[in-house]
Amino acid sequence: MSQYKKHVFICTQGPYCGFDGDTEAIFERMKRQVGAHGLNEEVRVNRAGCLNQCGHGPMVVVYPEATWYAHVQVEDVDAIVNEHLVGDQVVTRLLFTAPPGNNKQVAHYPAEVHAFKDAAEKLQQEREALRQATLRALAQHREA
Ligand code: FES
């Protein structure tokens, strides 16, 4: 038995989906609507990093069904909640159908978006370097 019956992942941290729609507003609306339906104990809504489907966003995926939704906007959230999370029916007009794996299509984004992606990757590398340094410091602290 899993901890939740359904798990919704919204690509808010990937470098492209945030330029296809207001992913934070989608996340906030999804959480609010799940709560409004009394589903907080059954449905978990999480921010997600890139889902490797860039260019079709904002992307939303619902597990355990592995139902992928593309081009989701804030005004689509209620349909996903009402029809899918409550009614167990796929919202067919938003359904993303693509071959398994990486379906990135990013050539159409302007240079500013690609520059954002590069900067975001650099920040991630800096964060990881800081995490590794912290781990080393903790290990030295435990040995002392
Ligand atoms: S940025 Fe959202 S799927 Fe890659």
Side-chain angles (χ1 to χ4, degrees), residues 86-102:
V86 175
D88 276 325
Q89 299 293 315
V90 169
V91 184
T92 53
R93 70 180 172 82
L94 298 171
L95 202 54
F96 182 58
T97 53
N102 183 342

Side-chain angles (χ1 to χ4, degrees), residues 54-119:
C54 322
H56 309 283
M59 295 299 304
V60 174
V61 60
V62 182
Y63 286 104
E65 301 92 315
T67 301
W68 290 74
Y69 293 118
H71 307 295
V72 176
Q73 301 299 321
V74 175
E75 53 269 27
D76 298 317
V77 168
D78 290 14
I80 293 173
V81 172
N82 294 333
E83 296 171 35
H84 189 147
L85 302 180
V86 175
D88 276 325
Q89 299 293 315
V90 169
V91 184
T92 53
R93 70 180 172 82
L94 298 171
L95 202 54
F96 182 58
T97 53
N102 183 342
N103 289 289
K104 283 185 182 180
Q105 292 179 356
V106 299
H108 66 283
Y109 289 103
E112 291 86 349
V113 174
H114 295 293
F116 172 84
K117 174 187 173 286
D118 292 343

